[in-house]
Amino acid sequence: MEGKSIISGTGFAGILSGVRRIVIAVHSHPDGDAIGSGAGLLHFIGETLGKEAVLTIPDPIPDNLSFLLEGVPHGSVLFHHENPEETVSAISEADLIVCLDMNAFNRSGALEEPLAASGAKKVLVDHHLNPDSGAFDIVFSDTRVSSTCELLYRILMETEQIGHDASRLPHATATALMAGMTTDTNNFANSVFPGTLAMASALLAAGVDRDAIVNEIYRTYRENRIRLMGYLLDKRLCITPCGVAYMILDKETMSRFRITEGETEGFVNIPLSIGRVRMSIFLREDEGFFRVSVRSKEGTSANSLAMKYFNGGGHELAAGGKLFFPADIPSREDAAPYIVRVTGVFFEGK
Ligand SMILES: [Mn+2]
């Protein structure tokens, strides 16, 4: 447990009920957990508390998550990349801001400055290591859960309105929380705790259609993604003597396969299925930097590597960061030797 953890959710609904303008904010390059918890809370505030709220999102979401935002009240979701002024003013005029699935404002890209500057009361609900507790008035933080969706589920269950009866959750909230938990556990492959399965069980009993969720998330990809995946695994996957697998996706290859950024989600996990691989690193080129994803097997800290060498962090076994050129490496061609060198130091101390 991290920071000033307040694990009881009993006061949560009261905090939301006592204010007028509520804004929910999620991290940049939002994943299923960010959108699931954001949409889930939005529906809870609307349907259970009968109040309005606005979900602010810094940049586009992957297509396979768009079903989570169908059915939200008109005007209740603001994307910064589409509507920067309205998004920023919602944040600056808010009385209360709930930040989800991020441990600090600097995970939220374009929302960082408005979030930091806003005079609103700030609440954090998150499951990453090292929450920036000082920046928030109320912190719900626990790393021993699968996802922010699971932590939010626990908090909502403790509210008077829900009273530990999952069937009282709005159906859309239950669906969104199940979806976010499913993506953060990689469909129950990692970070599964007893509470995760208890949550899944209760939500299923409450009528959530998990088959439909799994279909939306994992069976709606474009052919291009699968072709690129095949190409990367065949031509680009390298494995160092230390058992570090890495793949580097440059811009030219992205445009050759006509791939958008969200479509590489999950690629980093694949090499971990190789027995001798203990860590997998995936780099995707952006403007002047690589976006870095790191995954590791038990006993190896993806978080330490990402913090030390990739300007990032996250969870023990799943972390992310950035590698800038020319600040960290002279040019983009130096990414591969950089990975080989720093992981060599990381594992062998040489
Ligand atoms: Mn998460």
Side-chain angles (χ1 to χ4, degrees):
M1 228 157 285
E2 307 282 331
K4 48 179 168 186
S5 299
I6 302 168
I7 289 311
S8 165
T10 42
F12 188 69
I15 297 165
L16 297 173
S17 300
V19 294
R20 251 164 41 85
R21 282 164 301 200
I22 305 171
V23 163
I24 304 163
V26 297
H27 60 79
S28 60
H29 301 276
D31 58 6
D33 194 25
I35 299 302
S37 57
L41 181 56
L42 191 60
H43 285 288
F44 174 82
I45 293 170
E47 294 169 41
T48 305
L49 303 181
K51 294 178 71 84
E52 284 177 18
V54 175
L55 169 59
T56 58
I57 303 177
D59 31 40
I61 64 171
D63 286 344
N64 66 342
L65 299 178
S66 57
F67 75 101
L68 292 171
L69 297 180
E70 287 165 10
V72 298
H74 183 73
S76 66
V77 177
L78 288 174
F79 283 95
H80 185 275
H81 68 283
E82 285 175 353
N83 218 333
E85 281 166 26
E86 221 182 312
T87 308
V88 170
S89 60
I91 291 172
S92 29
E93 290 161 16
D95 301 311
L96 181 91
I97 299 174
V98 184
C99 289
L100 298 170
D101 203 34
M102 58 168 109
N103 58 0
F105 298 141
N106 65 13
R107 316 306 286 185
S108 65
L111 305 185
E112 176 182 358
E113 282 183 27
L115 286 176
S118 171
K121 190 175 212 181
K122 292 165 194 168
V123 179
L124 177 68
V125 180
D126 180 52
H127 69 127
H128 293 86
L129 296 161
N130 312 315
D132 182 12
S133 301
F136 296 90
D137 300 287
I138 299 168
V139 175
F140 295 90
S141 169
D142 193 346
T143 58
R144 295 172 308 171
V145 289
S146 61
S147 52
T148 296
C149 281
E150 183 180 334
L151 183 55
L152 181 62
Y153 167 82
R154 204 161 79 192
I155 293 167
L156 297 185
M157 288 291 273
E158 286 174 356
T159 61
E160 196 185 310
Q161 290 81 353
I162 304 303
H164 296 280
D165 177 357
S167 70
R168 288 195 206 152
L169 288 168
H171 185 70
T173 296
T175 299
L177 296 179
M178 179 79 100
M181 177 271 286
T182 299
T183 58
D184 253 27
T185 60
N186 196 9
N187 205 8
F188 295 97
N190 47 255
S191 325
V192 173
F193 293 80
T196 315
L197 295 176
M199 164 190 176
S201 174
L203 292 178
L204 266 185
V208 169
D209 186 347
R210 222 188 85 81
D211 293 343
I213 293 172
V214 168
N215 267 319
E216 289 281 3
I217 295 173
Y218 298 111
R219 296 175 186 159
T220 56
Y221 293 123
R222 292 191 313 136
E223 183 181 339
N224 301 35
R225 168 184 153 101
I226 308 303
R227 301 251 175 225
L228 173 65
M229 187 189 282
Y231 169 79
L232 288 173
L233 292 173
D234 186 27
K235 304 290 185 204
R236 297 287 179 91
L237 174 64
C238 301
I239 305 175
T240 73
C242 300
V244 175
Y246 65 91
M247 294 188 282
I248 300 173
L249 175 58
D250 55 69
K251 284 191 155 175
E252 292 76 9
T253 306
M254 277 184 80
S255 57
R256 187 150 60 84
F257 282 84
R258 282 172 282 117
I259 278 287
T260 57
E261 51 176 67
E263 288 184 295
T264 59
E265 183 73 37
F267 282 14
V268 66
N269 294 310
I270 304 168
L272 281 187
S273 63
I274 301 168
R276 71 180 172 103
V277 167
R278 49 179 163 171
M279 180 180 264
S280 170
I281 304 174
F282 180 68
L283 267 64
R284 180 170 58 72
E285 187 184 352
D286 209 312
E287 287 304 328
F289 68 95
F290 287 100
R291 208 165 277 287
V292 183
S293 301
V294 186
R295 299 289 182 274
S296 59
K297 289 180 184 167
E298 201 63 46
T300 296
S301 175
N303 182 56
S304 314
L305 186 91
M307 288 204 320
K308 233 172 160 174
Y309 299 111
F310 295 108
N311 307 294
H315 309 285
E316 193 59 14
L317 304 181
K322 288 175 181 176
L323 183 64
F324 296 92
F325 45 92
D328 299 316
I329 49 174
S331 76
R332 63 176 198 165
E333 281 69 36
D334 300 294
Y338 179 83
I339 292 171
V340 173
R341 185 167 59 78
V342 300
T343 56
V345 172
F346 187 76
F347 283 110
E348 315 280 345
K350 65 188 178 196

